């Protein structure tokens, strides 16, 4: 199981990105996430439905999937590259626009 993660508002992300995993301030990074390289990844969230709750797969079961787009910024400090997930921070203008 993953360790507990502290929740904070996405507006605090530029400030939080200035702190390394060890809790020290990153040297050579001023918190400007917009200056970092933008990356995106498309994942899918799927669920199996139908079949009357059987544990074995049957022809009545259907798998439905929905796209989940995630955004990241690849930044660098004096120690090298680090990644920050910015999905909530990037805002709705970059969200996946499906059919």
């Amino acid at each position: 199981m993953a360790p507990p993660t502290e929740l904070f508002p996405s507006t605090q992300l530029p400030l939080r990105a200035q702190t390394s995993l060890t809790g020290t301030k990153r040297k050579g990074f001023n918190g400007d996430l917009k200056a970092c390289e933008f990356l995106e990844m498309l994942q899918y969230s799927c669920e199996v439905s139908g079949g009357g709750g059987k544990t074995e797969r049957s022809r009545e079961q259907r798998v439905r999937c929905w796209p989940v787009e995630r955004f990241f910024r690849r930044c660098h400090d004096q120690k090298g590259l680090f990644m920050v997930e910015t999905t909530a921070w990037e805002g709705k203008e970059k969200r996946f626009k499906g059919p």
Side-chain angles (χ1 to χ4, degrees):
M1 181 160 71
T5 304
E6 180 183 358
L7 298 177
F8 57 88
S10 61
T11 55
Q12 290 183 7
L13 190 59
L15 177 65
R16 299 286 186 127
Q18 294 180 45
T19 306
S20 70
L21 293 175
T22 60
T24 59
K25 183 169 172 45
R26 293 185 191 277
K27 294 180 181 176
F29 179 68
N30 64 0
D32 184 11
L33 292 172
K34 293 278 186 191
C36 300
E37 179 184 7
F38 176 76
L39 303 166
E40 55 189 314
M41 175 174 60
L42 188 62
Q43 294 181 306
Y44 290 89
S45 176
C46 301
E47 69 178 36
V48 178
S49 61
K54 298 178 184 176
T55 57
E56 294 181 24
R57 187 164 180 185
S58 69
R59 291 184 185 268
E60 293 83 33
Q61 290 180 319
R62 299 286 183 253
V63 178
R64 294 183 60 196
C65 298
W66 298 268
V68 178
E69 193 163 29
R70 296 175 68 189
F71 304 124
F72 299 87
R73 295 287 178 152
R74 184 179 351 205
C75 305
H76 62 86
D77 60 9
Q78 287 182 352
K79 292 187 177 183
L81 295 173
F82 64 95
M83 299 274 288
V84 179
E85 183 173 0
T86 60
T87 303
W89 181 75
E90 295 290 348
K92 293 181 180 179
E93 69 273 1
K94 289 193 174 160
R95 298 253 184 239
F96 175 78
K97 296 186 176 39

